[in-house]
Every structure is written in C-alpha cells, then in structure tokens.
Amino acid sequence: MTDQMRKRRKHIMAAAAFMLIFGGLLALATIFDLQVSFLLATPNLVEGRYFSTNFCCNLVEVAAMAPIWGFATFAACILTVYAHHRTGPGRCLQVFFFGLSVFTGTFFLRDMMKYLLQITDREDVMEQIWFNALMAAFGLLVTILVLALAGGRIQAHMGVLLPFALVIVGSCCCFLFVELIKNPVGRMRFRAMHYIGDYSYYTPWYRVSDARRLLGSLGFDRDYFKSFPSGHTFSGSMACLMIPFPDLFGSWRTPKRKVLSYVIPIVYTGTVAYFRVAAGAHFFSDVLVGGTMGFVAVQFFRYLFLHRLRERFK
C-alpha cells in the first residue's frame, strides 16, 4: 500500500468517525434537547428576566463572537497589503479590503458592546451617533495599527498568509448560512419560553416553528425565535482556524503543537456551546449544529486553499 493510499484511507476513516460521532450526538440532542435545557439553564434564569443571571453565561454572550471578527479583520489586512503591492487595476482593491478591515474591526467591539448593553437593559445607547462613531474609530485604529506594525512582515510572508486569508474569508462567510437558516426555522429560545412561562412552543430542530406567527402580534422581540442553529457557537468555532497552523508555520509542526491546534479550538468551542445552553439561549442541538458547521467550513477551505490550490500562491 502506497503512502498516498494510506493517507486517503486515514482520511476516510477520520471522516466516517466524525460523521458517526456527530450523528450520535445529534440523535441524543433530538431526544433530550428540552430536558438538557431544563437541567442546565433553569438555575440561571429568573422570573421576569430574559437574560441569564449567571456571570459566565453573560461573559460568553458578550465575548464569544470575537474569533470570527478578529480573524476576519486579520484576513482583510492581509488582503489590503496584497492588493497594495499589485500593479494595474487590482491595486484599487486595497481600498475595498481596507474598508472591510475597518468594518470587521468595528464589529469586533460593537458586537460585544451590543450584548453587554442588552444584558444591562441599555440597548438604546446603540442608537446614539457618538456610540457608532466610537465603534468605527476603534475599527479604523485597529486596522491602521495592524498595517503599520505588521504590514512589512505580512508582505514578507505573503506566500503563506494569502492562502490563509482565503481560508479565513471562506470560513467566516459561511456564517451567512447560519443567518439564512435561523429566520425560516424560527425556533423559539428556551429562555424566551421561560420568560413567558409557556414551554408548549418547543419544537425539535428539524421542524419549522410557528411560534413567531402565534406570538408576533404580542410584540415579542424577534430574537426570541432565532435559536437554531447557534450563531455564537459557529463564531466561537472560528477558533478552529488554528487547525491550519501546522500547514502554514514550521514552528507548529511538532507533535505537541499539532495536538494543541485541535485541542484549543475544540475546548473553546465546547465551552461556548455549554454556556450558550446554560444561558437558555440555545438547545443542545443548536450548538452542536452551529459548532459543527464552523468546523466543517474551516476544514473544507483548508483543504481547498492549503492543499488543492496551494501551489498557485507560490
């Protein structure tokens, strides 16, 4: 058996094991979703309050989106440097990528502030001009600092960083699928059902809920009906963008660091998933699907840009 055949067999076995584990967990989640939420979330919810009273749950609510915005900002900076050193019309793209970096850098802080303000019942602050100007100034400052302090090093390692930037962009863009699924499915959050004191609106993940239609006329926030899949867990799973590090950087090719490139993202994503369920924001199946979507997205674009198309960036 050749090395290539052994490698292919290894990949097939890994994919089969992954599908088996995912399928088993999803089956368990389908059966025990509501029971798990009663067990984990009920102690952290109080009558008359939508958000959790648990500090760790709220900390995850505020900070868990950071990986997707942080990696996206870094990728946009790489593409800005790449476009800047191009000749001809392609160089004009640096303005677009610079603006994209400012945008994602803005949302790195704005998303955290949004959830913090929601939890503290001060969401009206987000409508203030000074608040949005401050968020935009943060995004601009981050972009300028990254380009000023690391622009030269980015250019020097462009052969490695450009395909990595494309892996980041492709993976992060898959977040759109999360948003496209959320609204049509309309699954009601556990904490929303706890808030109104009626769990009859529970639906399994595979069934479209009519809770929004039934309760929408009462003026309930649309966020109540965006449980499946978990956007926070998908965003947290962008920590899986550490997995390609051994493909890119020689210092990460030791056995210990290869293991860490998987362990750190999985532990981080699992922690986010646990506290999203404990906050009553999502069910077990929501975080399982959201986190798995992120992991699969990273692995797909890792394979595409770092293995299939890698030679084109040299």
Side-chain angles (χ1 to χ4, degrees):
M1 184 181 293
T2 65
D3 290 342
Q4 187 175 6
M5 291 178 62
R6 289 194 189 94
K7 193 173 183 179
R8 182 175 297 178
R9 183 179 178 183
K10 182 179 178 182
H11 288 164
I12 292 173
M13 291 178 64
F18 172 79
M19 291 299 296
L20 184 63
I21 293 171
F22 172 74
L25 289 175
L26 187 59
L28 289 173
T30 303
I31 298 170
F32 298 111
D33 253 351
L34 193 57
Q35 293 91 324
V36 171
S37 289
F38 270 115
L39 178 65
L40 297 182
T42 303
N44 303 315
L45 298 170
V46 297
E47 185 177 350
R49 178 175 172 79
Y50 178 60
F51 290 98
S52 172
T53 57
N54 182 284
F55 173 80
C56 291
C57 290
N58 290 334
L59 179 63
V60 168
E61 183 122 25
V62 170
M65 298 287 286
I68 192 169
W69 296 118
F71 273 112
T73 301
F74 181 56
C77 286
I78 294 171
L79 294 171
T80 300
V81 175
Y82 174 74
H84 177 72
H85 289 86
R86 298 279 288 176
T87 57
R91 189 170 184 178
C92 297
L93 287 173
Q94 68 178 311
V95 177
F96 170 77
F97 292 129
F98 182 87
L100 180 63
S101 179
V102 173
F103 175 81
T104 54
T106 297
F107 271 82
F108 179 87
L109 181 60
R110 193 179 189 279
D111 242 27
M112 288 192 281
M113 293 303 300
K114 178 183 77 172
Y115 291 109
L116 180 62
L117 292 169
Q118 286 177 343
I119 291 169
T120 56
D121 296 320
R122 299 190 63 191
E123 197 171 359
D124 57 300
V125 173
M126 294 182 62
E127 300 175 3
Q128 301 297 318
I129 294 176
W130 65 264
F131 174 82
N132 290 287
L134 186 62
M135 298 299 103
F138 176 83
L140 179 61
L141 178 62
V142 168
T143 299
I144 291 173
L145 285 176
V146 171
L147 294 175
L149 299 177
R153 292 180 63 84
I154 290 174
Q155 177 57 26
H157 298 88
M158 187 59 68
V160 170
L161 293 179
L162 180 58
F164 184 43
L166 297 177
V167 174
I168 295 172
V169 171
S171 301
C172 291
C173 282
C174 288
F175 184 76
L176 295 174
F177 290 108
V178 174
E179 292 300 311
L180 288 172
I181 295 170
K182 274 181 178 287
N183 287 317
V185 173
R187 192 182 198 188
M188 195 169 182
R189 298 185 191 271
F190 179 83
R191 65 186 179 192
M193 290 185 282
H194 180 275
Y195 182 70
I196 66 173
D198 188 349
Y199 297 97
S200 66
Y201 294 101
Y202 169 79
T203 53
W205 62 270
Y206 54 83
R207 185 183 302 164
V208 174
S209 173
D210 61 354
R212 182 186 296 144
R213 179 181 61 82
L214 297 173
L215 297 172
S217 60
L218 300 178
F220 287 113
D221 194 307
R222 65 180 182 177
D223 182 70
Y224 287 18
F225 313 104
K226 298 177 72 174
S227 186
F228 179 85
S230 171
H232 273 71
T233 312
F234 178 95
S235 300
S237 72
M238 288 300 98
C240 290
L241 286 163
M242 289 182 64
I243 293 174
F245 282 7
D247 299 326
L248 298 165
F249 311 115
S251 60
W252 276 82
R253 288 175 189 151
T254 64
K256 182 178 179 180
R257 292 198 174 186
K258 284 183 179 180
V259 171
L260 285 177
S261 70
Y262 275 90
V263 171
I264 293 174
I266 290 172
V267 170
Y268 180 84
T269 306
T271 301
V272 171
Y274 172 83
F275 283 109
R276 292 307 283 159
V277 176
H282 294 287
F283 295 98
F284 179 20
S285 58
D286 301 336
V287 299
L288 177 64
V289 172
T292 301
M293 286 175 67
F295 175 79
V296 171
V298 171
Q299 292 289 44
F300 172 78
F301 288 105
R302 173 196 178 197
Y303 170 75
L304 179 64
F305 291 116
L306 299 185
H307 294 277
R308 293 288 295 180
L309 303 178
R310 182 68 177 272
E311 294 297 319
R312 298 190 181 187
F313 300 103
K314 293 183 179 179

